[in-house]
Amino acid sequence: MTDPAPGPTEWGEGRHGVGPWAEEHPGEPAPSDPRFDPELLNNGDRRNVVDAYRYLTREAIRADIDSRRHDLHVAIENFSNDGNIGTIVRTANAFAVDTVHIVGRRRWNRRGAMVTDRYQHLRHHDTIAELAAYARAEDLTIVALDNTPGSIPLETADLPRRCLLIVGQEGPGITDEAAKAASMTCSIAQFGSTRSINVGVAGGIAMHAWIRQHADLGRAW
């Protein structure tokens, strides 16, 4: 079923989406596959999803992504109610990250996720210690992202395949506890005047670095 409260990229018809099945595929019967949503077939699909997922139910889309997810997890510390979590979630969805872990506060502004949190696995941890215990149990190597002295340049780092990437908060960066839990800390090369890159942007750069090393690009859209 379609959602009663549409998200920000689903308001009106806009530039996205397709009309009712009968308009897009005149003369063709509506699909009988149970993965298709009857309301979307009848009324059109204006969601912000790739064409391969048009008319599919949310559950069917999530199941398909589950079959294609990577061995990459991403965690973001949320001890000061960081507004970049939505950006991290949206980027993680684009790269089929296994799970986004939110450490600290449970509440966060979902608007920046642009509805992608509906298709992305999310998990909450109260503390870094709890996150680290999860990583050990799942055989994930923790990699921190921060531009601190002694960090390894992300551009030359060999990232582990089973990886849990931790990004810090805007401003303070990675906490000491997170740094101690990590097997390695990577930094992003910068050449301008700013002291640091936005956390959401930095997280996206780091996720893509992992994608370049480990993903099967032949499966990308």
Side-chain angles (χ1 to χ4, degrees):
M1 301 291 290
T2 54
D3 296 296
T9 60
E10 296 173 309
W11 292 336
E13 298 190 2
R15 295 177 298 147
H16 298 289
V18 291
W21 179 270
E23 294 179 8
E24 300 293 334
H25 307 279
E28 296 183 23
S32 58
D33 190 325
R35 297 179 304 159
F36 287 89
D37 186 321
E39 288 192 19
L40 295 176
L41 292 173
N42 291 331
N43 301 320
D45 187 351
R46 306 298 178 183
R47 299 172 299 175
N48 182 21
V49 297
V50 296
D51 288 345
Y53 291 151
R54 290 293 176 208
Y55 303 112
L56 295 184
T57 65
R58 185 195 309 178
E59 293 75 18
I61 294 173
R62 188 158 170 156
D64 187 74
I65 299 174
D66 283 347
S67 72
R68 310 167 69 250
R69 291 194 192 275
H70 294 117
D71 291 329
L72 175 64
H73 293 238
V74 178
I76 182 167
E77 296 183 290
N78 188 35
F79 297 117
S80 62
N81 200 22
D82 199 302
N84 293 283
I85 295 176
T87 300
I88 294 288
V89 170
R90 184 181 183 185
T91 306
N93 167 267
F95 293 141
V97 164
D98 187 291
T99 304
V100 174
H101 302 262
I102 300 170
V103 184
R105 301 187 184 193
R106 288 181 178 272
R107 293 180 62 85
W108 55 280
N109 186 345
R110 293 176 182 253
R111 187 175 181 83
M114 302 294 279
V115 196
T116 57
D117 54 305
R118 297 174 181 172
Y119 311 104
Q120 177 62 51
H121 293 303
L122 305 173
R123 190 181 184 105
H124 175 261
H125 305 271
D126 289 321
T127 64
I128 288 293
E130 186 179 311
L131 176 71
Y134 173 90
R136 288 192 298 270
E138 297 296 324
D139 193 29
L140 295 167
T141 301
I142 297 178
V143 176
L145 185 66
D146 207 351
N147 58 347
T148 54
S151 59
I152 301 170
L154 180 65
E155 295 75 20
T156 59
D158 291 323
L159 297 175
R161 174 173 286 277
R162 291 195 56 77
C163 177
L164 194 158
L165 176 71
I166 302 180
V167 297
Q169 302 171 98
E170 192 72 31
I174 292 289
T175 61
D176 290 341
E177 188 177 9
K180 291 176 181 177
S183 297
M184 61 189 293
T185 299
C186 293
S187 61
I188 297 173
Q190 298 177 205
F191 302 91
S193 63
T194 184
R195 182 176 179 275
S196 64
I197 298 173
N198 170 271
V199 169
V201 174
I205 292 171
M207 283 184 252
H208 192 254
W210 187 96
I211 290 294
R212 291 189 63 184
Q213 292 184 30
H214 298 294
D216 178 0
L217 299 182
R219 303 187 71 188
W221 298 121

